[in-house]
């Protein structure tokens, strides 16, 4: 009985000691809570995520022999699924797709610290490049809206800073362009915010999308080709895959038309 009472007293004493410490160092608990809230806010606001998107293409199985017609004229080499995977993930095809898409200029919101989100198809301004001038790739051109008519432009790589107006022609170091207000997304909240744009190198952009594109058969023995890619902007990746799939289908259709035309020509010239 005495041992039980001693144990209770010891437990009560320890609890009182912890309470005294908690009261004495209360500010540490407050700081810990504030730090947790601040860290969560920072993570949600500035962290970025990679999103995966995919599409599928039905590839018709080809005969194993090349297509030949009378007289031994070779019209088309045999194609198999591995060949199709190589074609759709080739540099030439990816490059052709990139040229079709509006990926030449990327727009960003400048958060100054943390992650700067890309404003794909929702930037409050867009850039019209002068194709007769030298394109300076992968340099940041900073834009700060002063009001609905004017903005401040800075190019740190050129040590350049100036006040400009929308629609005016800008040329620095043979780098020429016009900045136009995007009325669909420009509003009062856009003013006083910081943005920047970047002109992308076509070769580097092609290699970037080529490196992250994955092509696999959906199931073993299937002729359904599975295309997968990932990126920070979902809609941009979706547009890329859709355009790639459509380009591949159109390319195969064009090839079939050529084969049909050659077949007809050959037959017409036979005695």
């Amino acid at each position: 009985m005495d041992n039980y009472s001693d144990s209770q007293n010891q437990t009560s004493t320890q609890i009182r000691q912890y309470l005294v410490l908690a009261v004495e160092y209360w500010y540490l608990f407050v700081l810990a809570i504030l730090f947790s809230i601040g860290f969560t806010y920072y993570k949600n606001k500035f962290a970025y995520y990679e999103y995966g998107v995919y599409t599928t293409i039905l590839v018709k199985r080809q005969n194993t022999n090349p297509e030949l017609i009378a007289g031994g004229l070779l019209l088309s080499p045999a194609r198999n699924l591995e060949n199709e995977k190589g074609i759709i993930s080739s540099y030439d095809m990816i490059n052709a797709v990139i040229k079709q898409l509006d990926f030449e200029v990327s727009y960003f919101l400048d958060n100054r610290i943390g992650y700067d989100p890309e404003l794909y198809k929702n930037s409050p301004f867009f850039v019209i490049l002068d194709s007769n001038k030298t394109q300076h790739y992968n340099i940041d051109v900073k834009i700060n809206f002063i009001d609905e008519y004017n903005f401040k432009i800075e190019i740190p790589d050129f040590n350049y800073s100036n006040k400009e107006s929308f629609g005016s022609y800008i040329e620095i170091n043979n780098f020429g362009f016009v900045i136009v207000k995007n009325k669909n997304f420009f509003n009062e909240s856009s003013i006083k915010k910081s943005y920047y744009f970047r002109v992308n190198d076509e070769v580097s952009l092609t290699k970037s999308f080529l490196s992250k594109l994955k092509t696999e058969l959906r199931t073993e023995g299937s002729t359904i080709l599975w295309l997968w890619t990932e990126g920070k902007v979902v809609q941009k990746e979706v547009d890329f895959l859709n355009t790639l799939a459509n380009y591949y289908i159109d390319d195969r259709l064009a090839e079939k038309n050529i084969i049909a035309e050659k077949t007809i020509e050959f037959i017409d010239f036979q005695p």
Side-chain angles (χ1 to χ4, degrees):
M1 188 70 177
D2 290 339
N3 291 337
Y4 178 74
S5 298
D6 291 341
S7 177
Q8 275 190 321
N9 292 333
Q10 185 177 6
T11 301
S12 299
T13 301
Q14 289 177 340
I15 292 174
R16 283 196 296 271
Q17 289 176 344
Y18 291 143
L19 288 174
V20 170
L21 289 173
V23 172
E24 184 177 356
Y25 296 101
W26 62 270
Y27 56 90
L28 293 179
F29 292 96
V30 175
L31 289 175
I33 294 172
L34 292 176
F35 175 80
S36 298
I37 294 174
F39 177 78
T40 302
Y41 171 80
Y42 176 86
K43 184 176 181 180
N44 291 335
K45 184 175 179 61
F46 299 112
Y48 69 88
Y49 303 92
E50 293 278 345
Y51 299 93
V53 296
Y54 75 92
T55 190
T56 56
I57 298 177
L58 176 63
V59 180
K60 291 185 178 180
R61 190 180 298 277
Q62 301 285 341
N63 295 328
T64 56
N65 296 323
E67 296 180 15
L68 298 171
I69 65 173
L73 177 63
L74 179 64
L75 291 180
S76 175
R79 296 190 184 280
N80 56 42
L81 294 175
E82 288 301 321
N83 289 342
E84 298 306 302
K85 286 171 61 177
I87 291 170
I88 203 168
S89 60
S90 65
Y91 178 91
D92 288 343
M93 183 159 287
I94 301 301
N95 182 250
V97 170
I98 293 298
K99 288 179 178 179
Q100 288 188 28
L101 291 164
D102 188 20
F103 288 176
E104 186 175 18
V105 180
S106 297
Y107 304 87
F108 301 88
L109 174 65
D110 188 359
N111 278 323
R112 301 191 184 277
I113 57 173
Y115 169 61
D116 295 337
E118 181 177 353
L119 305 176
Y120 178 65
K121 292 187 175 180
N122 63 341
S123 170
F125 69 99
F126 57 89
V127 179
I128 302 174
L129 297 172
D130 184 352
S131 58
N132 295 319
K133 301 294 181 180
T134 302
Q135 305 295 354
H136 292 271
Y137 301 118
N138 303 319
I139 64 171
D140 295 341
V141 181
K142 299 185 178 183
I143 304 294
N144 291 274
F145 297 138
I146 300 173
D147 51 42
E148 60 178 321
Y149 306 105
N150 305 290
F151 58 88
K152 180 181 179 182
I153 179 172
E154 295 180 78
I155 308 179
D157 288 49
F158 296 161
N159 195 28
Y160 177 84
S161 177
N162 197 25
K163 178 182 176 181
E164 300 286 352
S165 59
F166 291 109
S168 61
Y169 183 76
I170 303 169
E171 182 179 355
I172 313 103
N173 292 352
N174 204 36
F175 182 24
F177 53 89
V178 175
I179 295 180
V180 181
K181 183 165 52 177
N182 187 347
K183 296 180 180 180
N184 293 328
F185 296 99
F186 185 92
N187 50 48
E188 290 185 2
S189 64
S190 304
I191 300 174
K192 305 301 182 183
K193 287 184 180 179
S194 299
Y195 305 87
Y196 62 92
F197 71 87
R198 186 181 300 155
V199 182
N200 300 307
D201 174 24
E202 182 184 297
V203 174
S204 299
L205 201 58
T206 300
K207 290 180 178 179
S208 174
F209 276 90
L210 182 60
S211 66
K212 62 184 182 179
L213 176 66
K214 299 178 179 65
T215 59
E216 297 292 340
L217 292 179
R218 190 159 188 175
T219 57
E220 187 176 354
S222 169
T223 60
I224 297 177
L225 197 60
W226 181 76
L227 308 179
W228 170 278
T229 187
E230 59 183 29
K232 300 172 186 175
V233 184
V234 173
Q235 190 57 52
K236 192 171 188 177
E237 303 304 318
V238 169
D239 289 348
F240 168 73
L241 281 186
N242 285 339
T243 306
L244 175 60
N246 290 332
Y247 187 89
Y248 169 80
I249 293 170
D250 291 342
D251 186 65
R252 299 281 72 80
L253 181 60
E255 183 186 45
K256 288 182 179 179
N257 290 337
I258 292 174
I259 292 174
E261 290 175 2
K262 287 184 177 180
T263 303
I264 293 172
E265 289 177 2
F266 180 84
I267 295 173
D268 288 344
F269 278 101
Q270 295 308 300

